[in-house]
Amino acid sequence: MGLRSFATSAAVVLVTTGAAFADGGMTVKLPDVSTLSDADAKALIGELANVNVITANCDDYEISNGEWALITGTGDRLASRLGLDASAYDKQYYAPAFKLLDDPGACDRIGPSAKPLIQKLVAMGGGTTPVTQSQ
């Protein structure tokens, strides 16, 4: 299990600010998810968890630290918006995402969706480049 996988499964920190930390303390701008319907928020958080697990565990689909911060930070923001504590977030979204790793085709099925998902989050106002905390 990679460091990101361990960190993701060990604890989920809910982010309510406009930026998320990546490895080494990098922060990125997160998209505004406040206007999403609950159904859209639940669908997006599930997709984010799946992509996070796959990109952290499938060598052919690695992403940058900034992209990882955008994915995990947006997921944390959605969990907070949906009223999920860390335990519920892990149980409802990350446990099923980690079960995907039992499927030998999961990497090639889900991995290609990472870049379009990142582009969607950027289009929603997020970013993958580091920002200072004061922004």
Side-chain angles (χ1 to χ4, degrees):
M1 179 182 298
L3 181 58
R4 287 185 187 159
S5 301
F6 178 75
T8 301
S9 65
V12 177
V13 178
L14 300 179
V15 177
T16 57
T17 63
F21 288 100
D23 298 341
M26 176 197 316
T27 59
V28 298
K29 185 175 183 206
L30 297 177
D32 178 10
V33 296
S34 64
T35 60
L36 294 176
S37 69
D38 283 355
D40 287 342
K42 289 175 182 177
L44 182 56
I45 196 173
E47 187 178 1
L48 291 166
N50 290 346
V51 166
N52 184 16
V53 168
I54 293 301
T55 58
N57 290 281
C58 300
D59 292 337
D60 291 339
Y61 300 102
E62 290 182 5
I63 58 176
S64 72
N65 285 341
E67 291 167 331
W68 180 76
L70 177 61
I71 288 172
T72 58
T74 303
D76 292 348
R77 180 174 271 187
L78 286 165
S80 178
R81 181 189 169 288
L82 293 168
L84 300 173
D85 63 19
S87 177
Y89 183 20
D90 188 47
K91 181 178 180 181
Q92 292 177 32
Y93 295 99
Y94 276 99
F98 276 102
K99 286 184 182 184
L100 291 171
L101 298 175
D102 294 336
D103 174 2
C107 289
D108 291 332
R109 190 176 66 253
I110 296 167
S113 68
K115 295 299 181 180
L117 178 59
I118 291 163
Q119 291 170 348
K120 176 182 176 177
L121 298 177
V122 169
M124 292 171 61
T128 60
T129 57
V131 296
T132 62
Q133 280 190 288
S134 61
Q135 291 180 327

